[in-house]
């Protein structure tokens, strides 16, 4: 495969006129210059596939409801409008809303989605069915919305990839410890400090102590000392800036988060109000960084947050190739002085999605 540009390795180093030799789904060689044979993308730029590290796909079934509702009224557990709406959907409709979100995600180069599943064991059952036929890598996080017991928690564990905690107020501290114990070999993620009230309750301290999560989501109100604690504890932070702006809960301090070297990922959050487009999420994160620190340039860090930090395979010899090729010529990327900024702001024009892995007995086809 020949491409005009490539973002190579964990650091997304820019290389021009590159050829990739592929065998058994892996990159065997990355070389300078083009070679004869194989596909050629003369105006294309290849980068690692995008990762959407936090979504709620069930509410994609009813976009843009509740314009006048507060965050708690719209999505708060369990009496909010969202739960009334998703509770009225059939199992087939819930499944289709998730699959539709995943299909649309693939078309823009998102090849991994981490999905918070509501509706207790029913939500987990839907996620298990989706996983069998998902067009991309699908990571389902379940949770118990009904009665809590060890037996039900173990049943949930066997159906999903991990546990997604809505907030510290939804469970007791002993329950958090039990969740971590039962899910000790799986992914555990929690919402944290999305609002000032949550932060003042010291929710991060409680979650780190009792739940010991792998990732936390939002963190719009985290102070420098709390960000340092995340870094030191090796806990990743998933930013969802478009969601924070929509609800008026504040914005994440993107420059401080990057300066503190917190392992940062990006997510689009509730699909009812934020579409699947992670390109928009990256641009919003970059814009916020410029607002809070005029003249700064965190564009490469933003690209990492949207790709390799979420587990996307870097384009390296010996790695499976899962990448997205975007148009670089007429979008202006080719002529850009700062190509990282140009990719973040102009890179959403997808030419092809390359996934050399065989899933479910079939090789993924182009979008």
């Amino acid at each position: 495969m020949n491409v005009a540009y490539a973002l190579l390795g964990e650091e997304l180093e820019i290389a021009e006129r590159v050829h990739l030799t592929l065998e058994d789904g892996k990159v065997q060689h990355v070389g300078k210059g083009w070679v004869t044979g194989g596909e050629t993308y003369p105006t294309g730029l290849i980068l690692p596939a995008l990762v959407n590290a936090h979504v709620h796909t069930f509410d994609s079934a009813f976009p843009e409801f509740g314009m006048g509702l507060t965050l708690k009224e719209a999505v708060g557990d369990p009496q909010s409008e969202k739960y009334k709406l998703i509770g009225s959907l059939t199992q087939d409709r819930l499944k289709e809303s998730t699959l539709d979100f995943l299909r649309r995600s693939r078309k823009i180069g998102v090849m991994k989605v981490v999905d918070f599943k509501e509706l207790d064991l029913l939500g987990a059952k839907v996620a298990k069915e989706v996983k069998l036929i998902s067009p991309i890598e699908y990571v389902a996080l379940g949770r118990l919305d009904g009665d809590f017991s060890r037996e039900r928690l173990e049943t949930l564990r066997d159906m999903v990839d991990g546990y997604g905690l809505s907030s510290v107020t939804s469970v007791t501290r002993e329950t958090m410890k039990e969740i971590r114990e039962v899910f000790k070999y799986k992914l555990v993620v929690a919402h944290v400090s999305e609002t000032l009230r949550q932060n003042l309750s010291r929710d991060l301290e409680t979650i780190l102590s009792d739940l010991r999560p792998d990732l936390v989501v939002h963190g719009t109100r985290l102070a420098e000392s709390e960000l340092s604690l995340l870094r030191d504890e090796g806990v990743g932070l998933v930013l969802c800036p478009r969601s924070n702006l929509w609800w008026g809960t504040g914005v994440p301090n993107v420059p401080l988060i990057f300066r503190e070297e917190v392992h940062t990922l990006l997510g689009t959050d509730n699909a009812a109000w934020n579409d699947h487009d992670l390109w928009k999420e990256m641009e919003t994160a970059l814009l916020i960084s410029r607002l809070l620190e005029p003249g700064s340039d965190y564009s490469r860090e933003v690209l990492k947050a949207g790709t390799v930090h979420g587990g996307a395979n870097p384009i390296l010899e010996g790695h499976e190739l899962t990448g997205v090729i975007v148009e670089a010529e007429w979008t202006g990327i080719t002529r850009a002085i700062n190509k990282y900024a140009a990719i973040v702001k102009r890179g959403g024009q997808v030419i092809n999605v390359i996934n050399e892995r065989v899933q479910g007995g079939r090789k993924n086809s182009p979008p």
Side-chain angles (χ1 to χ4, degrees):
M1 177 193 303
N2 300 312
V3 289
Y5 293 93
L7 299 188
L8 303 177
E10 295 281 355
E11 293 300 314
L12 305 183
E13 297 289 346
I14 297 176
E16 189 173 355
R17 289 186 66 85
V18 171
H19 69 266
L20 307 176
T21 303
L22 308 175
E23 184 178 329
D24 296 328
K26 291 185 177 181
V27 179
Q28 298 298 320
H29 175 67
V30 179
K32 295 181 179 180
W34 290 354
V35 296
T36 57
E39 294 179 288
T40 296
Y41 297 90
T43 64
L45 178 147
I46 188 169
L47 69 154
L50 276 57
V51 177
N52 192 338
H54 180 70
V55 299
H56 298 261
T57 62
F58 276 167
D59 51 41
S60 66
F62 35 84
E64 309 304 339
F65 78 89
M67 181 72 75
L69 299 179
T70 66
L71 177 64
K72 182 177 181 180
E73 291 168 340
V75 300
D77 302 330
Q79 303 300 323
S80 67
E81 189 65 23
K82 166 179 171 170
Y83 285 83
K84 296 175 186 176
L85 289 168
I86 63 175
S88 69
L89 299 177
T90 65
Q91 184 173 327
D92 285 344
R93 185 68 187 90
L94 291 167
K95 179 179 176 180
E96 185 56 34
S97 71
T98 301
L99 282 169
D100 178 65
F101 185 94
L102 300 178
R103 294 185 195 110
R104 287 185 285 117
S105 296
R106 192 184 191 283
K107 288 181 180 295
I108 62 164
V110 175
M111 293 300 288
K112 179 178 179 181
V113 165
V114 182
D115 190 10
F116 266 49
K117 276 295 179 234
E118 302 87 356
L119 298 183
D120 202 76
L121 296 180
L122 172 60
K125 182 179 180 181
V126 172
K128 187 175 181 180
E129 293 177 356
V130 167
K131 197 174 183 71
L132 294 174
I133 56 175
S134 173
I136 62 177
E137 184 178 353
Y138 180 61
V139 180
L141 305 181
R143 73 183 195 208
L144 293 181
D145 290 326
D147 295 334
F148 187 92
S149 69
R150 181 77 172 217
E151 181 181 4
R152 296 185 78 242
L153 189 60
E154 290 175 347
T155 299
L156 179 72
R157 175 200 60 198
D158 295 339
M159 299 172 72
V160 292
D161 301 298
Y163 198 98
L165 184 70
S166 59
S167 70
V168 295
T169 60
S170 63
V171 294
T172 66
R173 299 188 71 168
E174 288 304 314
T175 295
M176 280 192 273
K177 292 176 182 177
E178 191 167 8
I179 290 170
R180 180 74 271 184
E181 181 181 346
V182 171
F183 281 78
K184 59 185 175 182
Y185 298 120
K186 292 198 171 186
L187 186 65
V188 174
V189 184
H191 295 82
V192 67
S193 291
E194 183 177 4
T195 67
L196 180 60
R197 182 175 182 178
Q198 290 169 344
N199 184 251
L200 291 175
S201 72
R202 303 177 71 88
D203 63 342
L204 178 64
E205 180 180 311
T206 301
I207 284 172
L208 291 181
S209 171
D210 299 331
L211 188 67
R212 293 180 286 114
D214 303 287
L215 298 171
V216 294
V217 182
H218 293 304
T220 57
R221 299 291 181 167
L222 294 178
E224 183 174 353
S225 60
E226 294 170 313
L227 293 171
S228 299
L229 182 60
L230 283 180
R231 179 198 62 219
D232 294 343
E233 293 290 327
V235 177
L237 173 60
V238 187
L239 304 182
C240 307
R242 284 192 299 157
S243 176
N244 304 145
L245 287 167
W246 179 259
W247 294 112
T249 58
V251 294
N253 193 329
V254 178
L256 181 60
I257 291 166
F258 286 140
R259 290 201 305 272
E260 287 297 311
E261 299 182 341
V262 178
H263 187 81
T264 309
L265 306 86
L266 291 170
T268 57
D269 203 18
N270 293 96
W273 301 281
N274 303 293
D275 67 12
H276 61 293
D277 197 337
L278 201 78
W279 294 100
K280 292 181 183 178
E281 212 67 48
M282 288 195 292
E283 182 174 12
T284 302
L286 183 60
L287 290 171
I288 290 171
S289 73
R290 297 277 297 180
L291 172 68
L292 298 179
E293 191 177 304
S296 63
D297 179 13
Y298 293 99
S299 48
R300 194 195 306 208
E301 286 78 5
V302 167
L303 278 169
K304 290 180 187 178
T307 57
V308 291
H309 280 188
N313 289 332
I315 301 174
L316 279 174
E317 293 176 358
H319 285 249
E320 290 180 334
L321 178 61
T322 306
V324 54
I325 299 176
V326 300
E327 170 59 48
E329 180 60 41
W330 62 263
T331 56
I333 295 173
T334 298
R335 302 181 300 280
I337 303 301
N338 185 323
K339 285 186 170 49
Y340 290 115
I343 295 166
V344 170
K345 297 167 68 179
R346 306 165 189 268
Q349 302 299 320
V350 175
I351 298 175
N352 200 359
V353 177
I354 307 296
N355 183 12
E356 290 296 319
R357 286 183 295 177
V358 175
Q359 297 180 347
R362 68 194 189 286
K363 183 176 289 188
N364 285 332
S365 58

